[in-house]
Amino acid sequence: MERTIRVLHLEDDPGDAALISHKLAVEGLAWDIVHVGDKAHFEAALARESFDLVICDYNLPGYDGLTAIKRAQEQQPDVPVIVISGTVGEEMAVECLHQGATDYLLKDRLERLAPAVQRALQEATERRSRREAEQRLRESEERYRLSMDLTPDAILIVDRIGRIQLLNVATERLFGYQRAELLGRPVETLIPTRYHQVHERHRHAYDQAAQVRFMGAGPDLFGLRRDGTEVPVEVSLGPFEFADERLVICVVRDITARRQLEAQFRQAQKMQSVGQLAGGIAHDFNNLLTIINGTTELAQAQVPAGDPVWEDLQEIRRAGERAAALTRQLLAFSRKQIQQLQVIDLNTVVTEMEKMLRRLIGEDIDLVFVPTQDLGAVKVDPGQIEQVIANLAVNARDAMPRGGKLTIETHNVEIDESYARQRGVAASPGPYVILAMSDTGVGIDEVTRGQIFEPFFTTKDPGKGTGLGLSTVYGIVKQSNGLIWVYSEVGKGTTFKIYLPRAAERADAQRRSPTVSPGRGTETILIVEDVNGLRLLATRILQAAGYTVLTAVSAEEAFLSLTNYKDPVHLMVTDIVMPGMSGPNLAKGLRRTRPEMKVIYMSGYTDDAVVRHGVLDDSMPFVSKPFSTADLIRKVREVLDSQG
Ligand code: ADP
Ligand code: MG
């Protein structure tokens, strides 16, 4: 294909210029020749447009061929330059070629012009394509280097005798080395010493039968960092040949995050099964303790105070109450405590508790409360949250035997996916409220930290700790759809952060506190309870308080006895979980025939059936088992006296 060849011709003699143009023209190519007569025009033309060829006269007034060659090459590096001169001068010619001129011609031998131009153009074309190829190669290498370095996995190339030949940025980052420190070093540098022998054997075996291999599924692999710490990794290998050399490419992936999640998952499963066990036991204990404690109380009422029997009974009651407290904690841990939810402001809860907390932690520990203004409300069981705060405060106190500072803070926070991932917790995204409690105590080391939420785990002397404080906290937080996060530095202190989902509603203006009501009455009460001892106990308590009591062992029996009973029944006290129909369903079924009758629910235990009915809200009167005589009598009077 014919194309126009653009020539810049520097020549001050118009005659010579015409002659040279003529010589070119006869060559039969298409030419586009720009004539310039001096330095200024020459340099301007070079700066303005690109040429395929520069021809220049050597002898010009105020300009010489050498400078012209230099300018041309500066401006257009690939352009061939042919110097034409009237005088013979071998030295001058050599100098010009040295400076990069393609050719040097004499004015009286212009028949050489055509072949010289042809050669110059061809060379220029070759030079250009070589340069382009080099550029492409450079770009492709750059692309490879970039993709290596942008890969999150560490990539190393290792030779047959295990020396590192190449590595990417992720390798530097993962192992904490600079590239130069690793190049040429044995790959064992990056492997903990205890694995060196095994690795050596494997490397030999691999060299004998090299193939693409994934090693992550095997035993746990670890990398050794420059600072001596280890990192769990997954490794895959691929052999390849390069320049007659057998090499292996190793891809090393940091699996710290995955291991953490696995550990958390295992931990959660363990907690779940322990919780189930604890919850099951606690349920039975609850009923037994209610009977033991209640009957003891009734028995006490029949002997005069001061009587040795009364003292013995008192001893039984004290032990029974301690057992009841433990049972409550177990229930909280197994998330089987019935929640009485209220929308509350945590700042108010903490403020109301401040005095009690100060007494709890003693004078040597400063209590600092830093509430966030405009704190979002949370929907929780206020009693449970008080328990959480008290448990954490007691632990903080125990961690600061020589005094210190306990700081309680509240914050609003938005959890998004990255926030949750960073902390390795499975929280659904959304707005949360944080309650943070920090002490300046002894701290918790990493191994211990893995166990603190387990029930009965304690580092305290026998008799000092039950190991149930944090498991209770854990259970309550989980049951409240929150999460708990612990940060600790040994010798510095510990922070527990509790995240609770922010409630859409505003906090109830005032928390309902139980009103003190007189204990006695004459109304008629139906008790529905399948556990004989409990039913009997409740009957005795209420009869002793003056009430008329009907009883039923099941919902079915309750329907029956109400049908036969023609007088008003003012109140039904019913268990929630019973064989057959549940308490709430019984109440629903009776609403039509006995619209006036009020209901109190009784339970110590939420199983799935109850959870499916939804937690009780504050408007549903409730007595938790184990209950005391006073609990029951107070609640009964309160509900009977309530409006609506
Ligand atoms: P207990 O207090 O009865 O030992 P917990 O479940 O409340 O049981 O706590 C379990 C363990 O967690 C404690 O024995 C202690 O080792 C550790 N721990 C809890 N809170 C702190 C804290 N604030 N500082 C240091 N260690 C703590
Ligand atoms: Mg404790």
Side-chain angles (χ1 to χ4, degrees):
M1 196 189 69
E2 191 163 297
R3 67 179 187 99
T4 306
I5 297 166
R6 297 183 47 75
V7 181
L8 176 61
H9 188 193
L10 172 61
E11 172 62 72
D12 61 335
D13 181 332
D16 285 351
L19 179 66
I20 286 165
S21 294
H22 179 69
K23 282 279 179 202
L24 287 175
V26 292
E27 287 311 313
L29 291 169
W31 301 94
D32 179 2
I33 304 175
V34 176
H35 277 293
V36 287
D38 58 25
K39 171 179 188 270
H41 284 96
F42 178 67
E43 292 183 358
L46 276 176
R48 192 178 58 233
E49 49 196 307
S50 68
F51 295 96
D52 299 311
L53 177 65
V54 172
I55 300 175
C56 67
D57 190 9
Y58 190 82
N59 293 311
L60 291 171
Y63 208 41
D64 66 288
L66 288 180
T67 315
I69 294 167
K70 220 160 110 197
R71 287 284 172 278
Q73 285 186 334
E74 278 166 13
Q75 293 282 338
Q76 300 184 19
D78 277 334
V79 76
V81 182
I82 294 177
V83 180
I84 299 180
S85 163
T87 49
V88 193
E90 206 167 309
E91 259 172 52
M92 205 196 300
V94 169
E95 184 61 24
C96 282
L97 295 176
H98 215 76
Q99 281 296 323
T102 316
D103 220 330
Y104 185 91
L105 299 181
L106 288 175
K107 277 188 181 163
D108 53 4
R109 305 273 308 272
L110 281 183
E111 64 276 13
R112 273 197 59 221
L113 180 61
V117 165
Q118 220 141 39
R119 191 167 65 88
L121 289 176
Q122 193 172 346
E123 279 179 13
T125 309
E126 282 165 11
R127 223 175 13 251
R128 193 174 314 117
S129 57
R130 198 162 53 237
R131 193 193 292 275
E132 278 165 10
E134 278 166 7
Q135 174 70 15
R136 272 198 302 276
L137 186 64
R138 258 200 310 279
E139 279 171 7
S140 137
E141 277 179 355
E142 179 66 12
R143 250 198 314 274
Y144 271 112
R145 199 187 58 72
L146 263 180
S147 45
M148 278 273 277
D149 281 346
L150 291 178
T151 306
D153 291 337
I155 300 177
L156 300 113
I157 291 179
V158 175
D159 66 14
R160 281 189 74 167
I161 57 168
R163 278 176 323 199
I164 300 169
Q165 300 288 349
L166 201 131
L167 54 110
N168 65 348
V169 168
T171 308
E172 298 181 291
R173 206 167 40 224
L174 177 57
F175 292 98
Y177 284 96
Q178 300 283 309
R179 192 176 302 240
E181 294 175 295
L182 286 178
L183 287 176
R185 290 278 293 283
V187 69
E188 273 87 4
T189 312
L190 305 178
I191 298 173
T193 324
R194 63 178 186 283
Y195 295 122
H196 281 190
Q197 261 187 333
V198 179
H199 181 256
E200 181 78 18
R201 265 206 314 281
H202 282 187
R203 203 164 51 70
H204 272 297
Y206 190 79
D207 190 46
Q208 300 305 310
Q211 52 176 311
V212 174
R213 229 177 97 192
F214 176 70
M215 299 174 56
D220 291 349
L221 295 177
F222 290 93
L224 178 65
R225 292 205 182 92
R226 186 174 198 225
D227 62 10
T229 56
E230 294 186 10
V231 51
V233 292
E234 188 176 85
V235 180
S236 39
L237 303 175
F240 69 106
E241 303 239 349
F242 184 77
D244 279 346
E245 202 183 354
R246 185 98 70 62
L247 298 170
V248 178
I249 182 162
C250 320
V251 180
V252 183
R253 174 168 295 180
D254 179 353
I255 53 169
T256 309
R258 188 162 80 206
R259 287 271 181 273
Q260 269 165 2
L261 278 179
E262 284 168 2
Q264 261 169 18
F265 181 67
R266 274 196 302 273
Q267 176 78 1
Q269 272 189 326
K270 187 165 69 183
M271 300 288 266
Q272 173 90 25
S273 48
V274 176
Q276 240 154 26
L277 184 70
I281 296 172
H283 177 218
D284 291 340
F285 270 120
N286 238 344
N287 289 339
L288 296 175
L289 285 169
T290 304
I291 298 169
I292 292 172
N293 295 348
T295 313
T296 311
E297 225 175 301
L298 290 175
Q300 262 184 321
Q302 293 167 42
V303 281
D307 189 300
V309 175
W310 193 94
E311 291 299 334
D312 289 350
L313 291 170
Q314 185 67 9
E315 215 33 59
I316 295 174
R317 259 180 77 180
R318 268 197 218 108
E321 269 152 26
R322 273 208 302 282
L326 275 176
T327 310
R328 264 195 300 276
Q329 284 180 301
L330 276 180
L331 279 174
F333 167 66
S334 58
R335 299 175 224 169
K336 294 207 155 149
Q337 221 175 23
I338 291 201
Q339 289 183 301
Q340 291 190 283
L341 298 178
Q342 272 184 36
V343 179
I344 55 161
D345 174 11
L346 282 182
N347 286 342
T348 314
V349 176
V350 177
T351 309
E352 283 175 3
M353 288 181 77
E354 258 188 281
K355 220 170 161 179
M356 187 273 280
L357 288 176
R358 270 182 226 283
R359 260 203 318 274
L360 202 62
I361 59 180
E363 285 173 359
D364 295 337
I365 297 171
D366 281 337
L367 177 65
V368 183
F369 178 37
V370 192
T372 286
Q373 301 306 310
D374 300 321
L375 188 70
V378 289
K379 189 166 185 175
V380 292
D381 182 326
Q384 284 190 327
I385 290 305
E386 284 170 6
Q387 205 179 347
V388 164
I389 295 171
N391 285 1
L392 292 177
V394 168
N395 282 347
R397 176 199 65 197
D398 292 347
M400 299 184 284
R402 277 183 294 281
K405 191 163 116 181
L406 171 62
T407 311
I408 305 181
E409 291 162 88
T410 53
H411 299 285
N412 291 317
V413 69
E414 290 291 328
I415 293 193
D416 55 23
E417 263 162 35
S418 79
Y419 188 105
R421 200 170 336 109
Q422 264 170 30
R423 284 161 176 77
V425 282
S428 29
Y432 284 75
V433 170
I434 296 183
L435 172 76
M437 294 185 57
S438 311
D439 62 57
T440 55
V442 293
I444 313 171
D445 65 54
E446 209 178 312
V447 177
T448 309
R449 222 177 301 153
Q451 295 172 278
I452 50 175
F453 294 113
E454 288 170 21
F456 305 113
F457 174 83
T458 178
T459 57
K460 295 168 191 172
D461 292 338
K464 285 263 171 62
T466 59
L468 282 174
L470 285 182
S471 44
T472 304
V473 170
Y474 180 91
I476 290 175
V477 170
K478 286 277 166 181
Q479 197 184 12
S480 311
N481 299 317
L483 50 111
I484 185 162
W485 178 251
V486 55
Y487 178 81
S488 185
E489 273 183 52
V490 174
K492 293 242 171 78
T494 306
T495 297
F496 285 91
K497 277 190 187 172
I498 287 163
Y499 294 73
L500 294 168
R502 218 179 295 164
E505 306 97 304
R506 297 186 59 81
D508 297 344
Q510 202 158 20
R511 286 179 48 202
R512 255 160 286 178
S513 49
T515 46
V516 188
S517 343
R520 303 185 60 84
T522 54
E523 289 92 337
T524 303
I525 301 174
L526 169 66
I527 298 171
V528 189
E529 164 66 62
D530 59 313
V531 178
N532 292 338
L534 282 180
R535 194 177 57 252
L536 198 65
L537 174 67
T539 306
R540 286 177 64 187
I541 293 172
L542 293 176
Q543 278 173 343
Y547 296 101
T548 302
V549 178
L550 311 174
T551 61
V553 299
S554 66
E556 289 71 21
E557 206 181 294
F559 277 118
L560 209 66
S561 51
L562 283 179
T563 318
N564 297 333
Y565 196 78
K566 296 303 170 208
D567 290 330
V569 176
H570 304 90
L571 172 72
M572 172 169 75
V573 178
T574 177
D575 194 11
I576 292 184
V577 188
M578 294 180 291
M581 190 182 281
S582 75
N585 282 340
L586 168 64
K588 221 181 286 167
L590 288 172
R591 210 168 288 154
R592 210 164 22 87
T593 48
R594 297 263 179 183
E596 300 298 302
M597 190 177 71
K598 290 169 173 156
V599 180
I600 293 177
Y601 294 102
M602 227 173 9
S603 181
Y605 181 72
T606 74
D607 71 357
D608 288 343
V610 180
V611 174
R612 257 184 281 121
H613 288 117
V615 282
L616 295 173
D617 65 38
D618 205 38
S619 62
M620 293 169 79
F622 173 75
V623 174
S624 70
K625 291 190 243 179
F627 55 79
S628 68
T629 308
D631 284 345
L632 182 62
I633 286 185
R634 196 184 320 114
K635 198 66 180 184
V636 162
R637 199 57 257 166
E638 189 187 312
V639 172
L640 283 171
D641 290 344
S642 68
Q643 303 299 315

